[in-house]
Amino acid sequence: MPALLPGNLEGRPAPADLSPLQARLDAAAPGAVVEVEPGTYRGDVYLDRPVRLIGRGRPTLIGSGKGSVVRVRAPDVVVEGFDIDGLAGGDLAADSSGVHVAAPRATVRDCRIANTLFGVYVREAPGVRVEGNVIRGIPGREAGEKGSAIHVWNTVGFTFVGNDIADARDGIYIQSASQGTIRGNVARRLRYGLHYMNSDDNVFEDNLFEQSAAGAVLMFSKRIQFRRNRFIHNRGFASVGLLFKDLDDSVAEDNLIADNARGVFLEGSSRNLFRRNVLAQSDIAIVLYGSSSENRFEGNAFIGNLSPLALFARRTDTRFDGNYWSDNDATDLDGDGRSDRPYTLGSLFDHLRGNLTAADLMAQSPAALALSAAERAFPVLEAIQVADGSPLARPPLLPDVPAQAPRGRRLDPWGLAGALGLIGTGLAVLGAGRRWRWETA
Amino acid sequence: MTAPRTSLMLLVARQELLLAARSRWTQIFAAVFAVLALGVSASGYILSGGHGFQDFARTSASLVQLVALVVPLASLLMGVMALAPERGTAELLFSQPIARRQILVGKLLGLLAALAAAEAVGFGLAGLVVFQNTGEDGAAGYAILVLGSFLLTAVFLSLAALIAAGAVGRKRARALAVALVVWFVAVLLIDLVALGVASVLPSTAASRLLILSVLLNPASAMRTGALLAIEGTAAFGPGSLALLRFTRGATGAALLVVVSLVTWIVLPTLAAVRRLSRADL
């Protein structure tokens, strides 16, 4: 059994579990560079002095299966260029990881970490940098039985850049960790792409959160910034692109939130600003609880959502202003770029389907259109009035919003051939009918 | 010399196709359908805001809506016009040595060929736009849409035959009015009534009622089937899951949609044959 330091922190592995590299590390002077040649090294690594552990030609570290493979216990350590395999071993309660960091200013770069409970665990390690790693969880294991790909706890100031994450429990779990930068990461096929508690003032830019039960779930925090992220293809039964619970004073700009069961979910969250985002192709674009107040949606493009808003309250002071709504059919006769009348979020039909899932089957049907037309002509039902006072008449140009997939026209030759075939056959049948004479019969 | 029955029926079908192909109405329908289909696909790909959201699924979904509205109307009106001839024409036609059943089915086949050909041209033109811009494997969904459109044509031609069979020897205008009412009911009223009734029922019964009405109404069945085939469960959100749970999976849903459509083709045709063979001219 490896020694545990105070606070359940994994200490130096038992001698039998140590990597053959450990002798070189124990001999290294502080500040030394330890270069590792290609090969496979079995056992765990314990870094108790500031060294740079650099893999040349991608050496493989295979852990003991009893705890974290690389344990960083001294400041200013660099771990770079390794393939790390945790043998699916260790202990969730001890935060067993591919690389476990519990010292300031560590850098974990260009590692390929697989088969570990946690990928990189950052514990009270201000100034940590996790960059360009590929992290895969334990295949086939239930979410509850594995950890996050990158987990940070009780740390002020951290940087996660360009990591590629899949198949763990949560992609990035940020817990009581503030003033971080999270940029250019990809997280897919997880429970939550981003999971979040009690962490203020973090900045998220250019990340991709997709194909998870939820793209991002943020709770109990303040002043978070989201720019140019993608929250897409989160399509489970109750999936959400971006969920805020008790999250205040945050800003989301130029994000793409598309093809989610529910796009944005706000509960108990106040004074948040959503500006210039694209919210598209969701069953419900925004779920808004009455416990949320003073949120603003400005200049966003709402495109092809089954329903713009599900409001769980009698009224809301959340404001919608100058957004584009693709199902808004009002005219713009004065040509000022704004529709001539306000756009009402939610119709009689939306009210119906709020109570009855199967009514979705008739969404977009002529019947649903007729209902909303009738509602506008004869406003007998006092629906909950949430409106965009000056909706955009045309979709806004949002050049900073990332594209859903690589752009560009792609030909489908089979489809084109089929289309030509249809035209040819159709014309031939019609033409043959015209040319036939009675004698031929 | 007596030709075999089927060839007699095909003779009638071919004559009807010839009449339909020469008819100004078929040509107008072909042109209008082509323009609408082309417009929908062009606005999906060429005129859209540039975010790439009006992609294949959205464009095809709009085509589905177009088909569900226009095809029943065209099939009913053109069917009734062709199948409810004026009195003199009817007497001449039915005095020929061909069974009335063969005349009716032959005419239906000819009309179906003409209308399907007209729709094929429109789908082909729209397809040229769609498949220049999509590299995804959307061709299968598109094929299902085309097939669904042909089936819907057959359904409403069959209903037109039933309407026309009841109007033998009467004013054609009356049959056309009936056709319009049938179109309104199928495209709009059934769904509206189902929604209205569902809103006052307890939720399990309401859910069942909505799913049944979607499957039983041929226009809705085609719309639902095609949208599910193209967009998957994203088509109706949680509603799709409710439907798939009811039908026990996608195969069940496809089967029920096809059964519904085929029933709506066969039963009205049989009823029309029966009515026509008993009609006193």
Side-chain angles (χ1 to χ4, degrees):
Chain A
M1 184 69 198
L4 281 182
L5 298 177
N8 218 17
L9 180 63
E10 290 172 330
R12 191 179 173 93
D17 297 333
L18 276 169
S19 166
L21 296 170
Q22 190 65 42
R24 289 175 66 189
L25 292 168
D26 288 341
V33 175
V34 177
E35 298 204 356
V36 179
E37 302 71 36
T40 300
Y41 304 86
R42 291 177 184 278
D44 302 328
V45 176
Y46 190 73
L47 296 162
D48 58 356
R49 63 201 72 192
V51 294
R52 301 164 67 90
L53 182 62
I54 312 290
R56 300 289 180 212
R58 300 215 72 81
T60 301
L61 307 182
I62 298 180
S64 67
K66 295 175 185 165
S68 297
V69 184
V70 178
R71 306 175 192 182
V72 179
R73 300 292 178 259
D76 301 302
V77 163
V78 175
V79 178
E80 180 177 330
F82 290 95
D83 288 358
I84 298 174
D85 183 339
L87 294 180
D91 183 1
L92 269 181
D95 307 329
S96 294
S97 331
V99 180
H100 191 287
V101 179
R105 299 180 301 280
T107 299
V108 181
R109 189 185 291 132
D110 189 25
C111 288
R112 189 179 284 273
I113 303 171
N115 233 358
T116 58
L117 288 173
F118 290 87
V120 178
Y121 194 104
V122 177
R123 168 172 167 158
E124 298 179 313
V128 70
R129 190 173 177 87
V130 180
E131 184 176 0
N133 303 287
V134 177
I135 303 174
R136 297 287 179 268
I138 301 170
R141 192 176 280 195
E142 290 290 318
E145 298 169 349
K146 51 188 176 184
S148 320
I150 300 179
H151 195 115
V152 54
W153 177 68
N154 205 14
T155 296
V156 177
F158 56 94
T159 308
F160 300 156
V161 177
N163 300 287
D164 176 340
I165 293 166
D167 302 322
R169 179 173 63 192
D170 298 329
I172 301 175
Y173 197 131
I174 298 175
Q175 195 177 9
S176 305
S178 299
Q179 296 171 31
T181 301
I182 300 92
R183 184 182 300 126
N185 302 285
V186 173
R188 56 169 68 99
R189 295 193 305 273
L190 305 148
R191 185 181 65 175
Y192 302 155
L194 170 65
H195 198 174
Y196 206 95
M197 298 276 183
N198 302 314
S199 304
D200 301 336
D201 301 294
N202 290 313
V203 178
F204 294 85
E205 292 177 334
D206 306 301
N207 300 288
L208 168 60
F209 299 101
E210 67 172 352
Q211 295 168 34
S212 302
V217 173
L218 295 97
M219 304 185 192
F220 311 112
S221 307
K222 291 182 175 56
R223 298 182 300 277
I224 315 299
Q225 300 175 45
F226 291 95
R227 289 191 205 92
R228 301 181 304 278
N229 301 284
R230 283 176 287 170
F231 305 90
I232 56 180
H233 308 314
N234 300 294
R235 263 290 170 200
F237 184 65
S239 287
V240 189
L242 183 57
L243 182 147
F244 288 1
K245 179 168 166 41
D246 292 288
L247 192 86
D248 302 331
D249 302 301
S250 298
V251 177
E253 291 175 325
D254 296 312
N255 299 286
L256 173 67
I257 305 170
D259 189 30
N260 305 295
R262 297 173 291 173
V264 171
F265 183 107
L266 297 176
E267 184 182 349
S269 300
S270 300
R271 299 178 302 281
N272 298 294
L273 170 63
F274 288 82
R275 189 162 50 189
R276 297 191 306 271
N277 302 286
V278 172
L279 287 106
Q281 292 168 296
S282 314
D283 300 345
I284 302 171
I286 301 171
V287 177
L288 187 59
Y289 276 80
S291 48
S292 306
S293 62
E294 295 176 65
N295 297 292
R296 286 180 295 152
F297 287 83
E298 295 172 359
N300 302 287
F302 291 84
I303 298 173
N305 300 294
L306 281 184
S307 173
L309 175 70
L311 179 62
F312 294 91
R314 292 206 162 273
R315 60 181 62 83
T316 177
D317 57 0
T318 290
R319 291 187 46 193
F320 294 89
D321 200 33
N323 300 288
Y324 171 75
W325 310 87
S326 65
D327 59 339
N328 177 17
D329 51 4
T331 52
D332 173 26
L333 292 179
D334 54 3
D336 65 351
R338 307 282 172 144
S339 296
D340 295 331
R341 57 182 159 77
Y343 171 82
T344 307
L345 284 73
S347 60
L348 187 53
F349 183 72
D350 286 328
H351 177 73
L352 259 179
R353 63 208 271 199
N355 302 328
L356 183 58
T357 353
D360 280 334
L361 288 172
M362 299 198 179
Q364 304 168 336
S365 73
L369 292 180
L371 266 183
S372 55
E375 189 190 0
R376 251 173 307 188
F378 316 103
V380 284
L381 186 119
E382 182 95 22
I384 298 155
Q385 284 300 316
V386 183
D388 186 326
S390 58
L392 297 177
R394 278 172 294 281
L397 285 177
L398 300 172
D400 291 334
V401 175
Q404 187 164 19
R407 287 182 208 219
R409 288 153 56 111
R410 283 169 302 165
L411 284 172
D412 181 350
W414 289 107
L416 280 179
L420 283 174
L422 274 177
I423 298 177
T425 315
L427 288 179
V429 169
L430 289 178
R434 286 169 67 77
R435 274 195 307 278
W436 271 331
R437 295 288 173 269
W438 290 108
E439 305 86 73
T440 62
Chain B
M1 178 185 133
T2 52
R5 284 171 160 206
T6 47
S7 87
L8 272 178
M9 197 165 79
L10 287 181
L11 187 66
V12 177
R14 187 184 278 189
Q15 182 223 357
E16 191 62 37
L17 172 61
L18 178 136
L19 287 176
R22 286 182 180 171
S23 150
R24 191 67 41 86
W25 291 111
T26 313
Q27 292 160 17
I28 291 176
F29 169 65
V32 167
F33 190 80
V35 167
L36 288 177
L38 206 56
V40 165
S41 54
S43 71
Y45 279 106
I46 297 167
L47 309 173
S48 74
H51 291 299
F53 290 106
Q54 293 278 9
D55 57 352
F56 175 75
R58 286 284 138 191
T59 306
S60 308
S62 312
L63 279 173
V64 171
Q65 310 286 12
L66 173 73
V67 166
L69 273 179
V70 172
V71 163
L73 184 64
S75 309
L76 278 169
L77 291 184
M78 295 182 53
V80 165
M81 279 193 292
L83 298 171
E86 296 301 333
R87 193 180 185 95
T89 326
E91 281 173 358
L92 181 65
L93 185 61
F94 290 123
S95 65
Q96 301 299 313
I98 310 176
R100 289 178 184 178
R101 171 168 45 87
Q102 287 179 324
I103 294 180
L104 184 71
V105 175
K107 274 172 159 286
L108 279 177
L109 286 177
L111 277 171
L112 179 61
L115 285 175
E119 288 161 21
V121 175
F123 280 123
L125 288 173
L128 284 184
V129 176
V130 168
F131 291 112
Q132 269 182 49
N133 292 279
T134 181
E136 297 156 42
D137 44 355
Y142 202 77
I144 286 178
L145 168 59
V146 176
L147 191 70
S149 172
F150 293 169
L151 280 173
L152 207 58
T153 310
V155 165
F156 283 91
L157 278 177
S158 165
L159 285 168
L162 184 56
I163 295 167
V168 173
R170 297 195 204 164
K171 284 261 191 295
R172 194 197 260 183
R174 187 177 165 280
L176 283 174
V178 174
L180 278 179
V181 171
V182 167
W183 176 76
F184 184 76
V185 169
V187 165
L188 193 61
L189 204 60
I190 291 183
D191 288 359
L192 266 183
V193 170
L195 275 176
V197 175
S199 67
V200 295
L201 285 179
S203 79
T204 324
S207 175
R208 249 189 225 141
L209 171 76
L210 285 175
I211 290 170
L212 278 178
S213 88
V214 155
L215 289 174
L216 290 181
N217 176 2
S220 296
M222 181 270 168
R223 198 169 54 82
T224 310
L227 285 177
L228 276 177
I230 291 165
E231 293 189 61
T233 51
F236 309 106
S240 343
L241 300 178
L243 176 76
L244 291 182
R245 223 177 9 248
F246 181 83
T247 62
R248 300 179 189 201
T251 325
L255 205 66
L256 281 176
V257 167
V258 170
V259 165
S260 165
L261 288 174
V262 168
T263 310
W264 277 104
I265 294 170
V266 172
L267 283 188
T269 307
L270 286 180
V273 164
R274 198 178 149 83
R275 216 165 167 183
L276 194 64
S277 55
R278 290 183 175 184
D280 185 16
L281 291 172

